[in-house]
């Protein structure tokens, strides 16, 4: 029996649905997803293991013009993912016909690129064909050698087709990771990310200034005790995060617990502390401390 394996890196602009797609393909919520752009800050692996293949997906931050150090590091992750891919899934969104210089960079690569036109569920069936016709023409002009596939990551449309294409393109290779691995990330990392995701939903302000660091993750008899620090950049932001009479923080804790418990499939006790790390997004030393 031949065994195929390879790195399938998901790249694209912010908010196009990269993380939603990876979660849906892998069948586990590994990467947080929100309605806001620049949600994903790291490169996160999601691995599918079958007896005859192993696909290592990478979710990456959305491509932006970086301004401050955190964004610069985020774009280094994207560059690396362009370099070490066996297959690139370039995610675009229906109705958005970008044409910008970054494509020249992407075109230089020798690896197969599959252009995915995501969110096709947003267009009613009546008009879908016409909108898709324009989109496919647009992307075909820019990437004449690439396959183009309309999908919906959210509604799982054309997912089987995509999986078949990926498996076809993969080369024969032994597994790169142990077959039990689902990701390259630790439980603490996922806890950090889940809390950050919940923050996006309960509090619309300052999501980009927030970083989470789980400093204790301790197995007790019937639960896991978790202590996480929530960092903001300025003292004034502390108040926003905590809210009137601590309401916001309480809400954050409530939703985080629910979500972490369902991810870890066990009971937890969670303590959250708010701390200030002045302008951490601009400071390479602090970024390193936070795992960038
Ligand atoms: N209607 C629809 N919405 C989608 C689809 N895929 C993703 N979304 C939504 O688009 C938003 C962004 O999704 P994400 O998966 O976080 O996007 P991303 O590309 O990872 O974003 P960044 O990490 O910020 O670059 C979320 O609100 C998703 O629910 C889709 O197929 N259809
Ligand atoms: Mg993302």
């Amino acid at each position: 029996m031949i065994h195929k394996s390879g790195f399938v890196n998901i790249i694209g602009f912010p908010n196009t649905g990269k993380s939603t797609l990876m979660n849906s393909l892998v069948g586990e919520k590994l990467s947080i997803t929100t309605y806001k752009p620049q949600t994903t800050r790291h490169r996160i692996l999601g691995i599918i293991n079958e007896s005859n293949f192993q696909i290592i997906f990478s979710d990456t931050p959305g491509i932006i013009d970086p301004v401050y150090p955190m964004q610069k590091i985020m774009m280094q992750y994207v560059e690396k993912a362009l370099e070490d891919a066996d297959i690139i899934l370039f995610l675009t969104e229906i109705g958005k016909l970008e044409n910008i210089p970054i494509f020249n960079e992407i075109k230089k690569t020798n690896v197969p690129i599959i252009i995915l036109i995501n969110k096709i569920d947003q267009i009613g069936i009546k008009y879908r064909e016409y909108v898709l016709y324009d989109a496919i023409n647009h992307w075909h002009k820019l990437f004449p050698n690439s396959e183009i596939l309309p999908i919906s990551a959210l509604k799982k449309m054309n997912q089987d087709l995509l999986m078949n294409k990926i498996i076809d393109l993969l080369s024969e290779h032994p597994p790169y990771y142990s077959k039990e691995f689902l990701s390259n990330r630790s439980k603490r990392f996922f806890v950090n990310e889940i809390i950050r995701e919940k923050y996006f939903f309960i509090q619309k302000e300052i999501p980009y200034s927030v970083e989470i660091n789980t400093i204790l993750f301790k197995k007790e008899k019937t639960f896991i005790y978790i202590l996480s620090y929530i960092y903001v950049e300025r003292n004034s932001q502390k108040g926003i995060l905590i809210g009137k009479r601590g309401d916001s923080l309480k809400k954050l804790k409530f939703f985080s617990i629910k979500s972490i418990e369902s991810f870890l499939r066990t009971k937890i006790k969670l303590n959250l502390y708010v701390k200030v790390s002045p302008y951490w997004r601009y400071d390479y030393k602090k970024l390193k401390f936070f795992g960038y």
Side-chain angles (χ1 to χ4, degrees):
M1 185 177 70
I2 68 158
H3 187 281
K4 291 182 158 193
S5 190
F7 290 83
V8 179
N9 300 348
I10 307 172
I11 288 166
F13 295 110
N15 212 42
T16 45
K18 298 177 294 301
S19 304
T20 307
L21 177 67
M22 185 173 87
N23 293 340
S24 156
L25 290 168
V26 176
E28 278 280 340
K29 183 146 181 192
L30 295 173
S31 219
I32 62 168
T33 60
T34 79
Y35 62 95
K36 280 207 171 191
Q38 292 185 55
T39 297
T40 306
R41 293 174 175 174
H42 295 270
R43 177 172 176 174
I44 300 164
L45 303 193
I47 305 174
I48 299 184
N49 292 304
E50 293 291 342
S51 57
N52 55 341
F53 64 83
Q54 178 178 67
I55 307 174
I56 304 123
F57 289 101
S58 283
D59 183 22
T60 63
I63 300 168
I64 48 169
D65 209 356
V67 178
Y68 48 85
M70 182 180 81
Q71 293 181 326
K72 286 182 185 158
I73 295 176
M74 281 160 61
M75 290 312 104
Q76 286 168 11
Y77 297 149
V78 179
E79 279 161 31
K80 187 84 185 52
L82 275 172
E83 283 165 21
D84 66 18
D86 294 312
I87 300 169
I88 291 171
L89 302 183
F90 189 79
L91 211 60
T92 71
E93 223 177 295
I94 186 88
K96 290 204 179 145
L97 304 178
E98 290 102 346
N99 184 0
I100 54 165
I102 180 81
F103 293 147
N104 296 325
E105 271 312 300
I106 298 170
K107 277 183 193 162
K108 278 186 206 151
T109 165
N110 295 320
V111 308
I113 303 171
I114 305 176
I115 309 281
L116 298 174
I117 304 170
N118 191 28
K119 306 195 187 180
I120 57 167
D121 60 284
Q122 282 182 336
I123 311 282
I125 302 217
K126 214 168 140 193
Y127 303 103
R128 202 174 282 161
E129 203 181 314
Y130 300 102
V131 181
L132 273 178
Y133 181 81
D134 284 345
I136 290 169
N137 265 338
H138 173 83
W139 294 109
H140 181 68
K141 268 186 210 143
L142 285 169
F143 294 90
N145 303 320
S146 297
E147 289 220 43
I148 302 170
L149 185 66
I151 61 160
S152 165
L154 202 63
K155 307 274 185 213
K156 297 184 182 285
M157 288 157 77
N158 282 346
Q159 203 142 296
D160 292 348
L161 217 64
L162 174 60
M163 277 300 289
N164 288 339
K165 277 187 203 295
I166 292 170
I167 294 165
D168 271 354
L169 287 167
L170 281 181
S171 309
E172 202 173 333
H173 199 283
Y176 288 92
Y177 291 87
S178 157
K179 286 252 172 146
E180 291 102 68
F181 277 25
L182 193 68
S183 181
N184 59 334
R185 296 287 177 171
S186 66
K187 287 182 177 155
R188 282 178 200 230
F189 175 82
F190 290 120
V191 168
N192 295 342
E193 289 287 272
I194 290 169
I195 298 170
R196 201 161 62 79
E197 181 187 71
K198 295 307 154 209
Y199 184 77
F200 268 94
F201 283 100
I202 65 140
Q203 178 62 265
K204 314 265 177 268
E205 285 174 83
I206 58 157
Y208 300 114
S209 301
V210 170
E211 184 65 47
I212 320 287
N213 189 21
T214 293
I215 64 154
L216 258 178
F217 187 100
K218 198 163 167 266
K219 270 201 182 116
E220 302 287 353
K221 260 201 184 121
T222 53
F223 63 91
I224 296 173
Y225 176 72
I226 297 171
L227 172 61
S228 306
Y229 288 166
I230 307 174
Y231 288 92
V232 289
E233 292 190 300
R234 293 192 297 274
N235 232 336
S236 59
Q237 295 174 334
K238 239 175 137 169
I240 298 177
L241 207 141
I242 295 168
K244 259 192 207 143
R245 294 183 306 273
D247 281 359
S248 288
L249 192 61
K250 272 186 214 150
K251 247 197 212 162
L252 179 62
K253 187 170 159 177
F254 175 78
F255 287 109
S256 298
I257 289 176
K258 272 178 58 170
S259 194
I260 295 167
E261 285 186 340
S262 105
F263 182 79
L264 296 175
R265 295 176 180 101
T266 163
K267 286 266 158 219
I268 66 158
K269 281 202 173 129
L270 177 67
N271 263 330
L272 298 176
Y273 281 100
V274 184
K275 293 188 166 246
V276 178
S277 175
Y279 297 96
W280 63 266
R281 281 184 294 172
Y282 298 81
D283 184 330
Y284 281 101
K285 251 202 202 135
K286 287 177 182 164
L287 285 163
K288 195 164 178 200
F289 171 75
F290 287 132
Y292 290 89

